[in-house]
Amino acid sequence: MSIKKILAAIAASAVAVSAFAVSAAAYDLNKDLKTGWSVSITVPGEEFEGATTDSVFTVTFTVDESLAEKEGHNYWCIKPMINDEGWPFIDTLVGPALSEGGDSYPVEPGQTELKFTIPAAELEHLQTAGMAFMGHGVTLGTITYSNDETLAPAAAETTAAVVEDAAPAVTTAQAGGNPATGTADIFAAAAVMTVAAGTVIASRKRK
């Protein structure tokens, strides 16, 4: 084999390794949030360690388009929360527009990712407590963040924007227990929560 071919093979291997490293860095959520507001997933605070207020987070997901035909369930949204007592909703993300009720971030059929930055106070809290997700009609894929990417100007202006014509509010209740468990049965009966309806988040893939 010629020197040129050997060097080309080495270069190709380096690219393959680099691509694998990048993909492995995404935190794997892999969670169908279904439609009952009883399913959740959490991300440990340590996964946010290298993030800053300029980091652009990307959450990938797929939408259950069959809900378009189901009255009362024909809406889709993602609800990120701080994984702490009461699971406070993070309504200050810069980029996505809030629902009309101000308690989730609506997404639409055909949409596959949600990009945002996180304000300092919330990011500091997340780095300690972690992030929790609930939602309606979506299956979460991965969450990553990039310290090199920037939000488009239009997206950066929507920190307090509201999406009109959102689905009627849906209420759920949270039973007692530890919110950090991320189990599917933590929502059942007590504190009422109203719901209307990024490259490296992780330094490693979820184990």
Side-chain angles (χ1 to χ4, degrees):
M1 182 182 291
S2 69
I3 295 296
K4 181 180 291 187
K5 288 184 178 180
I6 291 174
L7 292 175
I10 292 174
S13 297
V15 169
V17 170
S18 175
F20 175 79
V22 170
S23 65
Y27 191 89
D28 188 7
L29 297 168
N30 190 29
K31 194 73 171 182
D32 183 355
L33 298 179
K34 303 185 182 298
T35 61
W37 292 101
S38 62
V39 178
S40 62
I41 183 70
T42 59
V43 183
E46 62 203 46
E47 304 297 342
F48 297 84
E49 184 177 355
T52 71
T53 55
D54 293 322
S55 300
V56 176
F57 290 79
T58 302
V59 174
T60 63
F61 58 87
T62 56
V63 168
D64 181 359
E65 298 189 19
S66 69
L67 296 183
E69 306 300 324
K70 295 183 179 180
E71 186 176 356
H73 286 287
N74 53 352
Y75 68 95
W76 306 266
C77 63
I78 295 174
K79 187 181 183 78
M81 302 166 288
I82 296 174
N83 188 34
D84 207 346
E85 185 176 359
W87 274 10
F89 170 52
I90 308 172
D91 60 359
T92 55
L93 298 184
V94 179
L98 285 167
S99 64
E100 186 175 11
D103 46 20
S104 65
Y105 294 97
V107 295
E108 299 293 336
Q111 188 176 349
T112 59
E113 62 181 26
L114 196 68
K115 289 182 175 288
F116 53 85
T117 61
I118 305 175
E122 287 77 5
L123 181 58
E124 183 177 358
H125 201 165
L126 289 172
Q127 288 170 332
T128 300
M131 179 182 279
F133 286 97
M134 293 188 74
H136 184 275
V138 300
T139 296
L140 299 178
T142 61
I143 178 170
T144 61
Y145 71 78
S146 170
N147 290 331
D148 300 317
E149 186 178 358
T150 57
L151 283 179
E157 294 173 359
T158 62
T159 179
V162 172
V163 174
E164 301 295 340
D165 301 323
V170 177
T171 60
T172 61
Q174 180 178 1
N178 184 0
T181 60
T183 55
D185 61 353
I186 60 169
F187 275 65
V192 174
M193 184 182 299
T194 303
V195 183
T199 286
V200 185
I201 184 173
S203 52
R204 62 190 179 283
K205 192 171 184 179
R206 185 181 182 213
K207 296 179 181 180

